[in-house]
Amino acid sequence: MKMKIFMCLKLFPLLFVLFSSSFSGALIKVPENATIPAVMFFGDSVVDTGNNNYITTLVRANFLPYGKDFIAGQPTGRFSNGKVPPDLFVEELGIKPCLPPYLDPSLVDEDLLTGVNFASGGSGYDPLTSNTMSVFSLSDQLEMFEEYIIKLKKIAGDEKSSYILRESLFVVVSGSNDIWNSFFNNLRQFQYDVPSYTDLLVSHVSSFAQELYRLGARRIGVFSMPAIGCMPSQITIRRIGLERKCVTEYNEIAQLFNKKLLSALTSLNAQFPQAKMVYLDFYDLPLDMISNPQKFGFKIVDKGCCGTGTFETSLLCTYACSNEDDYIFWDSFHPTEKAYRILIHQMLQENINYFICGKSLCS
């Protein structure tokens, strides 16, 4: 049965009043004379806020216990117990409490003016990854974005639409599924070695960023690949000895990809001086949290809150712990809202000036 996806502030009238009164605005200070009218996200399940609910795929999260700590305890297709990075971006910037999925049929004009989400859980930079999981590829997401621009121009006109595209943040989050699903568990490892496959992925990142630029985006952020060897599922699959330790080989692949990604974004900034292509570190802080959990208020780092915490995700996640704030991971792949909040707050604090001013100092 398809569950209707409610918008963040459309769940219940009373909830709307209560939440609006508690939503106090931006937590991140934007440089003076700068504006960020909207945020757009592209990518995989880390940032999908419900688009997969509208397609036939096993990669979905529109059922409890997912969303148990979201507004009114509603499962919305977010792969966590509560909010995920797109929601926290718009919340921290004071734009709105959540970032809705583009495919939500209840979208209104204001939703389009302040940003929507095109991400699809299970997707990757490699087209094979999305095809294998029967989800929206980045090419599909780009087509939806082009459709969005047409709608935006009808609402706001050409001039304001260009302004919104130029001043908004565009964020891309992907890559992990490519390594797990297409390289190690599919045909790619017989076609590429690790260096050449990471080259392929980075070439897709570069092409996608240039397409966003062609369509009017200027402030473009790309998440680095996380420490994929520390995901509970990967620890389970590659378990060595009695202890549940991070898989060094997988983390080294992520580090190689990240090094190449940073170089590619630096090159794009030189090629397109009007662009602000920003590398968003999603590797070091999560790894610090896993290595030093007490510093961040966590107790359990090698298992998720969902099920046994060792392999469950998506449809296999049928029950959850009651102490999710002790966990960095919600299921065997995705962090909890608490972990995301720490990560996104620091990420925005460290990078907001780069989105606005690039390498120059903001006045």
Side-chain angles (χ1 to χ4, degrees):
M1 187 174 91
K2 185 179 288 187
M3 176 180 291
K4 176 174 174 56
I5 301 303
F6 293 97
M7 298 299 293
C8 295
L9 295 181
K10 297 174 185 174
L11 292 171
F12 301 102
L14 177 59
L15 183 63
F16 178 89
V17 173
L18 292 174
F19 199 85
S20 295
S21 64
S22 65
F23 187 61
S24 57
L27 300 176
I28 298 296
K29 184 180 179 181
V30 177
E32 192 174 352
N33 298 323
T35 58
I36 299 176
V39 174
M40 318 283 175
F41 264 79
F42 304 83
D44 59 23
S45 59
V46 170
V47 291
D48 186 355
T49 56
N51 284 312
N52 274 18
N53 300 330
Y54 301 98
I55 58 177
T56 302
T57 178
L58 296 177
V59 187
R60 49 200 313 124
N62 58 337
F63 51 86
L64 290 172
Y66 287 101
K68 65 186 283 293
D69 300 306
F70 193 67
I71 301 171
Q74 292 289 326
T76 60
R78 290 165 168 84
F79 289 79
S80 188
N81 61 304
K83 291 187 176 183
V84 292
D87 305 313
L88 300 173
F89 259 68
V90 292
E91 179 186 306
E92 293 261 343
L93 293 170
I95 296 173
K96 53 187 176 183
C98 305
L99 194 69
Y102 175 68
L103 293 182
D104 189 332
S106 65
L107 287 177
V108 296
D109 289 355
E110 182 61 24
D111 296 316
L112 298 178
L113 291 170
T114 53
V116 288
N117 187 354
F118 304 93
S120 178
S123 65
Y125 291 123
D126 183 348
L128 175 64
T129 305
S130 305
N131 291 339
T132 301
M133 304 306 292
S134 298
V135 298
F136 291 117
S137 66
L138 282 180
S139 295
D140 296 327
Q141 294 175 39
L142 197 67
E143 287 182 12
M144 288 192 284
F145 177 54
E146 291 179 296
E147 180 183 271
Y148 160 84
I149 293 174
I150 294 172
K151 295 179 179 179
L152 184 65
K153 288 181 177 179
K154 288 181 179 179
I155 297 169
D158 289 347
E159 185 175 346
K160 186 174 181 181
S161 295
S162 295
Y163 162 80
I164 291 173
L165 296 174
R166 184 178 65 250
E167 301 296 322
S168 296
L169 299 190
F170 293 79
V171 186
V172 188
V173 184
S174 198
S176 299
N177 291 324
D178 296 312
I179 302 300
W180 295 326
N181 296 330
S182 292
F183 188 77
F184 284 112
N185 297 317
N186 213 308
L187 298 176
R188 291 305 195 207
Q189 64 179 317
F190 301 108
Q191 300 170 304
Y192 301 90
D193 57 15
V194 168
S196 61
Y197 190 60
T198 52
D199 284 341
L200 175 70
L201 297 184
V202 171
S203 71
H204 284 302
V205 178
S206 180
S207 296
F208 188 77
Q210 290 180 66
E211 282 297 296
L212 289 178
Y213 184 90
R214 178 183 66 82
L215 292 168
R218 293 296 179 266
R219 298 169 175 172
I220 302 170
V222 183
F223 274 42
S224 71
M225 193 176 294
I228 56 177
C230 296
M231 303 294 186
S233 58
Q234 304 312 303
I235 292 174
T236 300
I237 293 170
R238 292 293 301 275
R239 187 168 181 174
I240 301 173
L242 297 178
E243 294 186 73
R244 290 181 57 82
K245 293 185 177 181
C246 296
V247 183
T248 301
E249 175 191 358
Y250 289 176
N251 284 350
E252 288 175 347
I253 294 173
Q255 289 175 309
L256 178 63
F257 171 85
N258 292 341
K259 181 179 179 181
K260 294 177 179 180
L261 173 64
L262 179 58
S263 177
L265 294 177
T266 301
S267 176
L268 287 173
N269 279 320
Q271 186 177 348
F272 302 101
Q274 293 183 341
K276 306 294 187 299
M277 306 274 188
V278 182
Y279 174 91
L280 300 173
D281 185 2
F282 198 47
Y283 184 95
D284 288 331
L285 181 57
L287 189 58
D288 188 23
M289 292 167 64
I290 292 167
S291 302
N292 304 287
Q294 292 85 359
K295 183 170 71 172
F296 299 93
F298 296 105
K299 296 179 181 179
I300 303 168
V301 305
D302 62 342
K303 296 181 181 180
C305 169
C306 176
T308 66
T310 58
F311 66 90
E312 294 94 339
T313 190
S314 191
L315 296 176
L316 296 177
C317 180
T318 58
Y319 66 95
C321 67
S322 59
N323 57 330
E324 61 271 13
D325 282 349
D326 289 341
Y327 288 77
I328 289 177
F329 291 99
W330 163 249
D331 59 21
S332 68
F333 284 79
H334 308 96
T336 57
E337 178 183 316
K338 178 181 175 181
Y340 277 139
R341 282 192 176 277
I342 296 169
L343 294 168
I344 298 308
H345 181 73
Q346 179 164 320
M347 182 182 290
L348 280 171
Q349 274 195 323
E350 291 179 351
N351 292 285
I352 193 63
N353 285 0
Y354 290 107
F355 278 117
I356 308 302
C357 308
K359 289 187 176 180
S360 304
L361 292 176
C362 291
S363 56

